[in-house]
Amino acid sequence: MSSCTNESLGHLIAFYETGQLSEKEKITFEIHLLDCDFCRNELQQMTTTFDLMHEHRTSILQALGTTDAKPLLHPKEVKQPIFSRLKEFILKIFNALAQPEFAVASVVTILFASFLLTLENAPPSSPFTDLLKFEKAPYNSQVLRSSEAEPGAQQFKSGMSYYLNDDFGNAALQLEKAVASEPENGVYRLYSGVCYFLQRQGDPAIDALLKAVNLNEDVLQNRSRWYLAQAYLLKADTARAREQLEILSAEQLEYSSEAEELLCQLDD
Amino acid sequence: MNTNIENDWTKLLDGTKSGDKQRQTQFYHKLTVTLLPIAQSRLRGWSSAIHQDVLQETLITVSRKLDSIQSQPHHFAAGILRNKIGDVLRTEKKRKTVSLDLHADTDEFTIQRDIERALSDASSAKDPLQQLETKDQLERIVWAIQHLSAFCHQFFTGILEHQEISEIWENARIAEPDLKNSTFRKRIFDCRMRLKQILQEG
C-alpha cells in the first residue's frame, strides 16, 4: 500500500480519472490497478472530488473566473457536428447573397468557416509526438528500375519523385494509385505508409504499414515495423507500438537501437 | 509483490470453488473492492446504484463461470466488468436514439429504464444539509485549484473546459519547448497529488 508497483503506469492516474486515456491505455491502466493497492486507494480517495468536478464543471469554471465556461456536456458532445457547422455556413452565405451590402461579410464568413473545417480535419496531435522521428525512410532507386514492368510502376515512380522532393501529400496520392494497381506490393505499401506518417495521419499510415509488415521481408519488413510502431504512437496506442518495438529491438538489425531507445523513453 | 497478490487470489478462488463459505465471502468482497473504482471511473456521472448493479451483474457472471477460471480471477472479472459497462453505455446510447423516435413512448424497455432512473434519482435526492456539504466541497475544490502552480491550474482548467490532453500538452510545450512527455506526465501526477494534499489540509 505504501507505493505504486509501476510508477510509469501510476503516473497515468490523473489521465484515467479525467477520461483522457485511449481505450487501450485505459485497459493497460486497469490491469495495473487490479494489482496495485496504492493506485486503487488513490483512485478511491479522489472519486468524490472528480465526480464533483465532472458534475459541477461550469460552476467551478465560473468560480475560477474562466469567462468562456461552456455548457455542461459530455466530452464526446463538445465538438459541434460538422454538418451543423456546414448548415450554419450555407445559411450565412444565403443571407449575405440576399443583401449585397454584406458581400464583404460573406467573404469573411467563408474564410472563417473554411478555417473551422480545416481545424475539424486537422490530425490530432499525440502526447508522444516529441519522441517520434519524422524522417524519410531511405529510398534506393534501384528498386524502381527493377520494378518498372510491374503494375503501378509508373505511379510509384511519380510518387517517389514527389517523395524525394519532400512533397508527401502528392507522393501519397500517387502511391495510393500504385497500391490500387498492385495491392500485394510491399514496397508500395511501405512508402505510402511512410508518406502518411510524415503528414501525421495515423490511421492511413497504420493501415498501409500493417500490410507492409506482412508483405515485406528482412530489411523492408524491419523498416515497415519501425514506421508502424511510430504510427501507433502517433495515435497514442502505446501497447501496439511496444509490441512492434520489442520485436525490432530483439532482432539486432536495422532500427533495433532506435527501437530500444524509444522503448526506454516510453518507460520513462 | 505480484506473486503474493496472485497467491492470495488463487487461495480465495480455490476456497470458493471448494465451497468454503468464509473464503467465498472474502473472495466476492475483495472482487467488489477491487472492481468498484473501475466502475466508478468508467461510469463517472452515473448514480452509485448503477455502479452497484453493474458490479452485481459482474459477480453473478463470475460465479456462473467459476469452474472455468484457472488463475487471476480479478483479471477475468475485470474483463466481464468492462463488457457489462459497455452494455450499459450502449443501452444508454440506444435509449437516447429511441427517445428521439415518435414511437419511443411504446418502448417498454425505455419506460422501465425511465422508471428505474426516476426511482434512483428520488432515492438519491439531496436534502438541504447535503446540498450545503456539496457547496462547501465545491468551494474547497475551487480554492485548491486557485492555490496550485500555474501549470497545475492550467491543467485542471483545461480538463474542466473539456480540452483534449493533446491540446494541454501542446500548450505546455509552447510555454516550455524542451518539455519531455515523461516529465509532463510526472508533473500532472504531482499536480493531482498536490490537489489532494491541499484538499486534505482544508
Side-chain angles (χ1 to χ4, degrees):
Chain A
M1 186 81 81
S2 60
S3 65
C4 174
T5 56
N6 182 338
E7 284 194 350
S8 64
L9 282 173
H11 286 167
L12 293 176
I13 192 164
F15 293 81
Y16 180 73
E17 287 168 315
T18 54
Q20 293 287 345
L21 295 180
S22 68
E23 185 57 26
K24 290 265 172 199
E25 287 172 321
K26 268 186 204 170
I27 293 172
T28 307
F29 182 77
E30 283 167 0
I31 289 170
H32 163 71
L33 203 59
L34 292 172
D35 294 320
C36 180
D37 288 345
F38 174 82
C39 283
R40 215 166 46 244
N41 192 36
E42 277 293 326
L43 210 59
Q44 282 285 34
Q45 285 179 25
M46 290 291 275
T47 294
T48 312
T49 304
F50 283 104
D51 278 350
L52 285 169
M53 282 169 72
H54 177 86
E55 197 180 341
H56 301 279
R57 54 174 287 275
T58 313
S59 316
I60 296 173
L61 279 172
Q62 278 166 355
L64 284 169
T66 311
T67 49
D68 58 345
K70 297 164 194 164
L72 192 59
L73 287 171
H74 187 273
K76 301 282 178 203
E77 297 168 330
V78 171
K79 274 192 177 178
Q80 198 181 354
I82 191 162
F83 288 114
S84 164
R85 258 187 229 173
L86 202 60
K87 191 178 156 191
E88 279 177 22
F89 166 60
I90 291 166
L91 281 172
K92 278 178 188 169
I93 289 176
F94 274 111
N95 287 338
L97 286 176
Q99 299 169 29
E101 64 271 28
F102 294 118
V104 176
S106 118
V107 170
V108 172
T109 310
I110 290 167
L111 289 172
F112 183 64
S114 311
F115 172 69
L116 283 182
L117 288 169
T118 315
L119 280 184
E120 173 83 17
N121 294 325
S125 51
S126 155
F128 303 102
T129 310
D130 69 325
L131 301 181
L132 304 179
K133 289 181 179 161
F134 292 100
E135 292 166 0
K136 278 196 288 191
Y139 170 63
N140 183 351
S141 57
Q142 293 299 321
V143 177
L144 179 67
R145 286 199 200 112
S146 64
S147 63
E148 266 176 354
E150 289 173 8
Q154 281 307 314
Q155 289 93 335
F156 180 68
K157 186 179 177 181
S158 164
M160 293 317 283
S161 302
Y162 285 119
Y163 180 84
L164 292 172
N165 288 314
D166 294 344
D167 182 351
F168 305 115
N170 278 318
L173 282 174
Q174 291 301 318
L175 291 169
E176 271 301 326
K177 288 178 189 169
V179 167
S181 302
E182 200 188 1
E184 300 302 304
N185 188 313
V187 178
Y188 298 177
R189 295 275 189 188
L190 164 62
Y191 287 100
S192 160
V194 172
C195 285
Y196 285 123
F197 168 72
L198 293 173
Q199 296 177 87
R200 276 73 162 167
Q201 294 179 25
D203 289 326
I206 290 168
D207 279 350
L209 292 164
L210 260 176
K211 289 189 178 90
V213 168
N214 292 328
L215 291 167
N216 288 314
E217 289 175 352
D218 304 327
V219 177
L220 288 179
Q221 188 180 49
N222 278 347
R223 199 170 287 172
S224 309
R225 211 181 279 290
W226 167 244
Y227 281 93
L228 176 61
Q230 294 198 91
Y232 279 134
L233 287 177
L234 203 56
K235 299 289 293 175
D237 186 347
T238 46
R240 287 196 173 132
R242 274 177 187 282
E243 276 174 24
Q244 300 300 327
L245 292 170
E246 275 160 10
I247 295 169
L248 276 175
S249 66
E251 290 197 4
Q252 297 301 316
L253 291 165
E254 192 187 17
Y255 295 113
S256 62
S257 58
E258 285 93 337
E260 265 174 11
E261 192 187 331
L262 193 47
L263 276 170
C264 289
Q265 286 171 323
L266 288 175
D267 288 337
D268 280 349
Chain B
M1 187 180 245
N2 273 342
T3 317
N4 289 341
I5 293 166
E6 274 174 39
N7 286 343
D8 287 349
W9 279 109
T10 308
K11 276 180 198 165
L12 288 177
L13 176 68
D14 292 343
T16 307
K17 278 183 180 176
S18 65
D20 181 333
K21 289 283 174 197
Q22 196 185 348
R23 285 274 159 90
Q24 203 171 33
T25 310
Q26 286 174 347
F27 176 67
Y28 288 112
H29 175 73
K30 196 170 177 181
L31 272 183
T32 306
V33 171
T34 307
L35 299 178
L36 183 62
I38 296 177
Q40 286 172 330
S41 302
R42 288 253 181 178
L43 294 171
R44 197 173 294 288
W46 292 65
S47 70
S48 59
I50 301 286
H51 300 149
Q52 296 292 342
D53 284 353
V54 172
L55 269 179
Q56 205 170 358
E57 282 180 30
T58 303
L59 298 186
I60 290 168
T61 309
V62 169
S63 71
R64 280 186 192 143
K65 297 190 173 178
L66 210 57
D67 290 335
S68 64
I69 309 171
Q70 302 302 319
S71 63
Q72 296 196 312
H74 53 319
H75 287 259
F76 181 85
I80 293 171
L81 177 69
R82 275 193 287 272
N83 289 338
K84 300 282 178 199
I85 290 170
D87 289 345
V88 169
L89 295 173
R90 275 189 293 276
T91 309
E92 175 66 7
K93 198 174 169 188
K94 191 179 166 194
R95 197 187 74 85
K96 278 184 181 166
T97 314
V98 172
S99 65
L100 288 173
D101 194 292
L102 284 173
H103 304 290
D105 55 354
T106 60
D107 190 321
E108 281 180 29
F109 184 73
T110 308
I111 293 167
Q112 193 187 337
R113 278 296 304 266
D114 285 341
I115 292 169
E116 279 172 13
R117 183 158 286 222
L119 285 172
S120 163
D121 288 346
S123 66
S124 62
K126 290 168 183 164
D127 63 31
L129 275 179
Q130 277 177 315
Q131 283 174 11
L132 271 179
E133 197 182 317
T134 304
K135 188 171 173 283
D136 180 49
Q137 284 173 327
L138 284 174
E139 278 170 2
R140 282 173 63 186
I141 291 172
V142 170
W143 188 83
I145 294 175
Q146 281 168 338
H147 284 78
L148 290 170
S149 67
F151 177 88
C152 299
H153 189 282
Q154 199 177 354
F155 170 72
F156 284 111
T157 314
I159 291 296
L160 289 164
E161 286 176 343
H162 283 158
Q163 280 183 25
E164 296 284 330
I165 197 68
S166 53
E167 287 177 67
I168 299 171
W169 160 242
E170 288 302 329
N171 287 337
R173 287 256 295 170
I174 290 166
E176 284 179 71
D178 295 332
L179 183 65
K180 291 205 159 144
N181 189 260
S182 52
T183 315
F184 174 70
R185 288 179 175 219
K186 171 76 170 65
R187 273 199 209 167
I188 286 176
F189 176 77
D190 291 340
C191 288
R192 180 199 176 277
M193 297 308 267
R194 182 77 188 118
L195 178 74
K196 188 181 131 192
Q197 192 189 356
I198 295 174
L199 287 170
Q200 279 173 343
E201 287 166 0

